[in-house]
Amino acid sequence: MRQLFLWATLGALASETLSRPTNNSSSDSIKVHWVGDIPEYHTGTTFGLPWPEGKYKINSTEFTISGKSNEQVPLQSWVTGYWRDGSIKWTGHAIPPLDTIDDEYRVSASASSSRRRRSNHTEPSSGLSVTNTDSEITVGTGKLTVSFPKQGNSIVGSITTSSGKVVGENGKLVLHTQSGVAEDVATRGSTSINYFNFESNVEEVSVSKETSVRALVTVRGKHQVSGGGDHDDWLPFVLRFYMYANSDAIRVVHSIVFDGKPEEDFITGLGIQFQVSLEGEELYNRHVRLPGVNGGYLHESVQGITGLRRDPGEEVRTAQYEGKVTPNVSTWDTRVSSRLQWIPAWNDYKLSQLTPDGFTIKKRTKSGQAWINIPGGTRSEGVAYLGGATQGGLAVGLRDFWKRFPSGLDISDAGADKGQVTLWLYSPEAAPLDLRPFHDGLGQNTYKKQLDALEITYEDYEGGFNTPYGIARTSEIYLQAFEATPASDDLARLGKHINEPPVLVPEPEYIKETKAAGSYWGLPDTSNEKAKTIESHLDFLVKFYQGQVNDHRWYGFLDYGDIMHTYDEDRHTWRYDIGGYAWDNSELSPDLFFWQYFLRTGRADIYRFAEALTRHTGEVDVYHIGDWKGLGTRHGVQHFSDSAKQVRIAQPLYRKYFYYLSGGDERVGELLDEALDADKTYGLLDPQRKVRTDGWTPSPGQPVAFSLGTDWAGLAGGWLIEWERRGPRWQEAKQKLTGTAKGIASFKNGFVTGNGLYAISNSTLLPPPTDPNNEGVVSISHLNAVFGLPEVVSELLEYWGDEAPEGLESAWLDYCYYYGATKAEQTARYGTSFSGISLVQGHSRLTAYYAKHRNNATVAARAWKEFYVNNDGFTADEPWIAERVNGSAVLIPVDEASWISTNAVAQYGLAAIQDLALVGGAVEKSPYPSS
């Protein structure tokens, strides 16, 4: 919908097909390379590119891409972000499957006249076609034809190969729930529990306007009860189907929002299911492939003819094992061919990944008969196939299959005319998904008691706030059609492709040069020993967290992608069960650290880690519907359990890097849209309700009080991104951004004021309740600048340029300087010194920002002193190593660095990156660190 809006409002090409190069000299040729190794397999890729300000306009720019041989590749392009002057800031691009995969490509942007651009707009001969009727949308890629009904329970009508084989049909979502859980085995018979089965009910189907290389079909709906039972439609879903020209694969991005009651709606199975046509295929030519470990596969046929007492012949056995058509049965040993009726047909298979460390497989002949166990393994790759040697079939896979346990793969009715394959995002073999609160409140029925409990468990509890209503989860599913049963090596390559989808990115040097991702970060600095040491520390920290994910099994359907907050050195584990010390939920911006570290290094391991973090924190830790839409939940034992619901956790900047680098990921774009309504929540919920001393309370229609740091930073981050994207509400966002920024600039003490009254009706910002006449109040919080405020303000001031509200830059520079200044300096400037100063190491990047923009060497030296000499961050004297702990002291062996906390890591990492970028030249002359 956003691309459609761009077309309608700008009257220009937001997407571009394969273009001929021009002779215009104003052009750039940008190198892009794969994240990590060159992929062995490629089904189509979407990626993003930044561009310098003022150089290219949407009406007069052509994009082309070529490989090392200079042969052009079909390219579809669109604009995802604009500079203030309307020039192109970020673009998204799609390329189809590649027969020959180079290690790098060149994307060229050529400025040309609108007239020439129109004349060069030609339709590619890719074979991608779209038909949109009242009843369905049909997409043809040249190798597949896929139909999407506009009503009913089928999300996909059929998947047909170019030769006319229907390898998948009647695709639908399946959901199983129950109304309660038995607390133990003994109570199962006496507990009244209702069970419900649901399937998808399609409400809306749409297709992207531009389909020269990539077509995107979006299906929305809810799950509807089937097979009896009384239950409202619920669990809304959005499915995005990505199809590329000349590709036989479909990428599916599956998103759900929990809108049920945690005490009544227990999910016991959630999946996507397809029928596979097997009619006419002999049972012994029907093949099941289930994924094992490291590319391994279980090779099974519905009717097995290997290992029998009598041998049908080596050629027959080999053909069946390899998934090929067996020789005519008349050529078999008659001792086998005459007795085929006695060989059982295995109709049903189940692979269940119920833990991150183990999966089981079993099969049976039919319903009512016993399941037979098959040897399982540890971590399944998650891609299954059902089909026949002549009829073809369908492979279905889930990205990060074992990491998102409990997951599963079911094959059923493989002996019937239509078999069925089900990919379980949440396996029915597992215990129900329990989203109830983890404690009953412990008697905390007043703010006084809740604040007292906060002193011991660090959990900010409040009754009724520990709800999952409105959280979401997004999964990536892949469908691959085959004309015949594929070789297991091909499936193994497909599995690697699914779990590490090919991604093209530009070089870090180029991203930095454009300033499109901000100018507060720089490339790795190894110019002197102190900088080298810092770089080694950063490398240690990112590798340490990657290891902690596996050591402590930070996996699971909801959990995967998040990291934990604080370590418990006595128990040799993270404080997973202690109030606010458990799941981190973006506390102190680790998202920013990991993404900025990727920007400067381009490392594949960091990209995958940061991508998983973005997919989790933007979905599970944030509310997407209801009164708290656009707010996130503070760190806690459950991702939704803490009562602090604030915009600082939902900071859109955390999603921004991935959004642009991915070419404008539509699901993340949807999350950015949701953030635009976060300001409305302040009239309903006061973030400071438990500790407010100024007497202010929310009142409908009246200005609302919020922080200039944790609150305004999150709102401003979302408004700026909407302005950049030129979305449907960009003018509203710009007005809110401008109005509130002018308010901050008008305060006598600027950002040091700490708070303000925001008038939603006219987007203005008034002085806080404690200073209605703007005489100047000092209110400092150590948290104000650690949830994206420095990055948002830096990008905002650059974006505005000389049109920034008068006084805003000086107000920010004042805050940057005086936060770490001496008490005497603070008193001289504001009439009083600051209290509550902490997180000095993280704030050193504010000092560095001031030094850079005021060209002040003395302040630059002060920034490094704050970085090295502090009481709340990492020092040079830390061990900077992890120790292996094993034996009876731990559940499983772990690498331990008990001196590490995620708060410190995030702020150390951001300070190190930005201090080196802003005042790196001063570190070598600094007397710090001291030995």
Side-chain angles (χ1 to χ4, degrees):
M1 293 300 294
R2 181 171 295 272
Q3 285 186 17
L4 294 178
F5 174 81
L6 288 174
W7 274 71
T9 58
L10 297 175
L13 295 175
S15 264
E16 174 64 17
T17 61
L18 179 63
S19 306
R20 290 192 291 268
T22 71
N23 294 322
N24 193 301
S25 60
S26 177
S27 65
D28 281 313
S29 180
I30 309 306
K31 182 172 72 173
V32 293
H33 64 273
W34 301 104
V35 170
D37 298 332
I38 302 173
E40 299 178 40
Y41 183 66
H42 180 250
T43 62
T45 295
T46 300
F47 61 97
L49 284 177
W51 303 97
E53 184 176 7
K55 193 160 189 180
Y56 297 108
K57 298 286 186 178
I58 187 172
N59 287 326
S60 55
T61 305
E62 295 175 333
F63 297 97
T64 58
I65 186 171
S66 58
K68 285 190 171 181
S69 64
N70 292 324
E71 182 179 352
Q72 288 191 0
V73 175
L75 182 70
Q76 179 180 320
S77 304
W78 56 93
V79 179
T80 56
Y82 298 83
W83 292 99
R84 177 175 57 87
D85 64 0
S87 60
I88 297 171
K89 186 175 186 180
W90 284 94
T91 50
H93 305 273
I95 59 174
L98 302 167
D99 294 329
T100 300
I101 305 175
D102 292 337
D103 59 349
E104 65 182 47
Y105 293 83
R106 288 276 176 178
V107 176
S108 297
S110 301
S112 62
S113 68
S114 299
R115 182 176 180 180
R116 175 177 295 190
R117 180 180 173 87
R118 285 193 295 270
S119 67
N120 281 347
H121 184 76
T122 58
E123 292 299 321
S125 58
S126 64
L128 191 63
S129 62
V130 175
T131 302
N132 192 348
T133 69
D134 291 340
S135 60
E136 69 176 8
I137 291 174
T138 302
V139 176
T141 70
K143 290 192 175 180
L144 289 181
T145 300
V146 189
S147 66
F148 300 90
K150 291 188 174 180
Q151 61 182 1
N153 60 26
S154 293
I155 54 172
V156 174
S158 62
I159 302 172
T160 307
T161 68
S162 58
S163 67
K165 296 176 181 178
V166 179
V167 295
E169 55 188 319
N170 192 29
K172 62 182 180 180
L173 300 181
V174 288
L175 168 68
H176 305 301
T177 72
Q178 59 189 55
S179 62
V181 293
E183 297 302 327
D184 54 49
V185 174
T187 61
R188 287 180 182 175
S190 60
T191 302
S192 177
I193 297 176
N194 296 318
Y195 297 88
F196 300 94
N197 299 318
F198 299 81
E199 57 189 16
S200 43
N201 181 40
V202 174
E203 297 176 348
E204 179 186 347
V205 183
S206 60
V207 64
S208 55
K209 183 177 180 66
E210 267 302 301
T211 56
S212 56
V213 170
R214 187 193 80 170
L216 166 61
V217 173
T218 304
V219 180
R220 299 177 185 270
K222 291 183 179 180
H223 293 80
Q224 186 177 69
V225 71
S226 61
D230 183 16
H231 197 292
D232 292 339
D233 292 2
W234 78 299
L235 205 66
F237 62 82
V238 181
L239 297 170
R240 292 179 170 88
F241 295 85
Y242 295 86
M243 291 154 285
Y244 293 82
N246 295 318
S247 177
D248 48 16
I250 307 169
R251 174 175 175 254
V252 187
V253 176
H254 170 285
S255 303
I256 55 167
V257 177
F258 185 84
D259 63 342
K261 299 177 182 178
E263 297 83 8
E264 298 178 12
D265 295 306
F266 294 86
I267 293 175
T268 57
L270 175 66
I272 184 170
Q273 188 176 88
F274 289 88
Q275 289 183 340
V276 178
S277 179
L278 298 169
E279 186 176 4
E281 193 80 79
E282 297 292 349
L283 294 180
Y284 46 77
N285 280 333
R286 300 182 184 190
H287 303 122
V288 172
R289 299 290 183 264
L290 291 174
V293 179
N294 296 328
Y297 267 87
L298 175 73
H299 298 68
E300 293 270 317
S301 295
V302 173
Q303 190 177 47
I305 52 175
T306 65
L308 298 172
R309 184 178 183 184
R310 305 304 178 190
D311 183 6
E314 182 179 0
E315 186 179 1
V316 179
R317 289 185 283 106
T318 300
Q320 185 179 73
Y321 178 80
E322 293 179 351
K324 300 176 181 178
V325 180
T326 57
N328 191 286
V329 70
S330 64
T331 67
W332 298 12
D333 188 313
T334 58
R335 292 175 299 173
V336 176
S337 59
S338 64
R339 296 182 174 89
L340 287 177
Q341 68 273 24
W342 308 125
I343 302 174
W346 298 96
N347 275 272
D348 305 328
Y349 289 76
K350 283 183 181 292
L351 186 154
S352 303
Q353 182 85 50
L354 302 185
T355 78
D357 295 312
F359 66 88
T360 60
I361 306 177
K362 56 187 177 181
K363 66 180 182 179
R364 69 179 181 183
T365 54
K366 64 179 181 180
S367 177
Q369 307 302 134
W371 288 95
I372 303 301
N373 292 325
I374 303 173
T378 53
R379 295 173 168 178
S380 171
E381 295 293 331
V383 184
Y385 169 84
L386 172 63
T390 63
Q391 300 284 9
L394 186 68
V396 181
L398 172 66
R399 185 179 180 186
D400 297 322
F401 181 81
W402 61 266
K403 297 175 183 177
R404 298 167 69 102
F405 81 97
S407 48
L409 291 159
D410 282 8
I411 288 172
S412 56
D413 295 329
D417 288 345
K418 292 186 186 296
Q420 192 166 267
V421 57
T422 306
L423 169 64
W424 293 108
L425 309 179
Y426 194 92
S427 171
E429 300 290 295
L433 178 62
D434 196 342
L435 300 179
R436 294 174 296 179
F438 77 98
H439 68 69
D440 64 2
L442 306 174
Q444 300 177 52
N445 53 12
T446 66
Y447 283 173
K448 182 178 180 180
K449 292 178 181 179
Q450 292 161 19
L451 291 172
D452 191 51
L454 184 68
E455 291 296 317
I456 187 66
T457 63
Y458 202 35
E459 181 187 37
D460 193 356
Y461 171 82
E462 186 173 346
F465 281 72
N466 48 358
T467 174
Y469 182 88
I471 69 171
R473 193 50 161 149
T474 287
S475 307
E476 290 186 54
I477 300 164
Y478 289 79
L479 310 174
Q480 177 86 44
F482 290 96
E483 295 276 4
T485 299
S488 56
D489 285 348
D490 291 337
L491 286 174
R493 280 190 287 270
L494 177 60
K496 184 176 181 180
H497 167 84
I498 288 174
N499 285 293
E500 295 183 356
V503 176
L504 285 168
V505 292
E507 297 292 336
E509 293 84 353
Y510 173 72
I511 301 176
K512 174 177 169 55
E513 178 186 333
T514 66
K515 297 185 179 181
S519 58
Y520 38 75
W521 58 275
L523 303 175
D525 186 353
T526 56
S527 61
N528 58 76
E529 289 304 315
K530 290 181 180 178
K532 285 181 181 179
T533 299
I534 292 173
E535 295 290 352
S536 70
H537 292 169
L538 293 175
D539 180 66
F540 165 75
L541 291 174
V542 297
K543 288 179 178 176
F544 176 75
Y545 270 79
Q546 293 175 47
Q548 292 298 287
V549 171
N550 188 59
D551 280 0
H552 296 277
R553 302 305 192 266
W554 293 340
Y555 301 119
F557 174 69
L558 290 181
D559 297 338
Y560 177 62
D562 207 351
I563 54 181
M564 288 215 169
H565 187 279
T566 307
Y567 199 72
D568 184 342
E569 59 184 309
D570 294 315
R571 289 188 290 170
H572 303 291
T573 189
W574 292 77
R575 304 182 198 179
Y576 69 94
D577 59 346
I578 302 179
Y581 290 114
W583 291 114
D584 190 70
N585 286 32
S586 297
E587 183 71 2
L588 301 200
S589 304
D591 313 60
L592 297 185
F593 165 49
F594 286 108
W595 274 119
Q596 288 176 33
Y597 194 72
F598 170 75
L599 289 177
R600 66 202 301 267
T601 64
R603 281 171 44 179
D605 58 333
I606 307 304
Y607 184 92
R608 305 297 184 187
F609 187 95
E611 181 185 11
L613 189 65
T614 297
R615 285 295 190 200
H616 171 91
T617 59
E619 302 277 0
V620 184
D621 300 343
V622 176
Y623 290 101
H624 306 269
I625 57 174
D627 292 341
W628 301 335
K629 178 183 177 181
L631 302 184
T633 300
R634 176 181 175 267
H635 41 106
V637 172
Q638 293 167 297
H639 299 287
F640 50 83
S641 59
D642 200 272
S643 69
K645 313 297 183 184
Q646 298 180 16
V647 73
R648 65 184 174 106
I649 301 105
Q651 167 66 268
L653 184 63
Y654 297 157
R655 269 47 91 184
K656 183 174 183 177
Y657 305 105
F658 175 68
Y659 174 76
Y660 284 129
L661 288 170
S662 67
D665 180 272
E666 284 75 13
R667 173 54 183 168
V668 174
E670 194 168 47
L671 304 184
L672 297 175
D673 290 339
E674 292 172 358
L676 297 176
D677 291 320
D679 58 341
K680 297 177 182 178
T681 64
Y682 286 85
L684 303 170
L685 182 68
D686 177 16
Q688 301 180 46
R689 61 194 177 278
K690 295 184 182 180
V691 294
R692 187 174 292 282
T693 59
D694 56 15
W696 179 86
T697 56
S699 179
Q702 297 300 309
V704 296
F706 66 30
S707 160
L708 303 185
T710 54
D711 296 322
W712 184 79
L715 296 172
W719 294 333
L720 175 58
I721 296 171
E722 179 69 1
W723 185 6
E724 285 181 333
R725 296 166 74 205
R726 298 300 192 271
R729 299 173 62 182
W730 76 269
Q731 291 176 317
E732 171 195 346
K734 179 184 177 183
Q735 179 183 358
K736 291 179 177 180
L737 193 56
T738 305
T740 53
K742 284 181 176 179
I744 295 172
S746 72
F747 292 168
K748 181 179 179 180
N749 289 343
F751 282 93
V752 175
T753 307
N755 298 275
L757 283 173
Y758 170 52
I760 299 178
S761 58
N762 61 8
S763 306
T764 58
L765 193 61
L766 307 173
T770 55
D771 185 25
N773 298 321
N774 195 22
E775 297 174 354
V777 66
V778 172
S779 179
I780 294 293
S781 170
H782 64 296
L783 296 179
N784 277 347
V786 295
F787 287 93
L789 181 64
E791 293 79 6
V792 168
V793 175
S794 175
E795 291 194 31
L796 181 55
L797 288 173
E798 286 190 348
Y799 196 75
W800 250 319
D802 56 10
E803 292 189 7
E806 184 178 355
L808 181 65
E809 182 181 26
S810 60
W812 176 241
L813 288 172
D814 274 0
Y815 189 86
C816 290
Y817 179 84
Y818 285 102
Y819 185 91
T822 65
K823 290 186 178 296
E825 289 177 303
Q826 293 167 353
T827 301
R829 170 66 175 83
Y830 296 104
T832 183
S833 62
F834 298 172
S835 60
I837 297 296
S838 63
L839 299 177
V840 173
Q841 186 169 72
H843 280 78
S844 70
R845 71 189 194 274
L846 276 68
T847 308
Y849 184 91
Y850 179 93
K852 171 71 173 180
H853 287 265
R854 289 290 186 254
N855 194 26
N856 191 315
T858 300
V859 179
R862 194 189 97 189
W864 284 112
K865 179 179 179 180
E866 293 167 0
F867 179 80
Y868 281 120
V869 183
N870 61 83
N871 296 317
D872 51 19
F874 296 146
T875 70
D877 296 329
E878 306 293 354
W880 294 107
I881 59 172
E883 296 181 356
R884 193 68 172 171
V885 181
N886 49 38
S888 61
V890 288
L891 184 65
I892 59 175
V894 299
D895 286 333
E896 181 175 273
S898 60
W899 49 278
I900 284 180
S901 73
T902 302
N903 276 1
V905 168
Q907 289 301 296
Y908 176 90
L910 289 170
I913 290 171
Q914 295 179 31
D915 289 354
L916 286 172
L918 297 169
V919 293
V923 67
E924 188 175 11
K925 298 178 182 178
S926 170
Y928 311 99
S930 59
S931 58

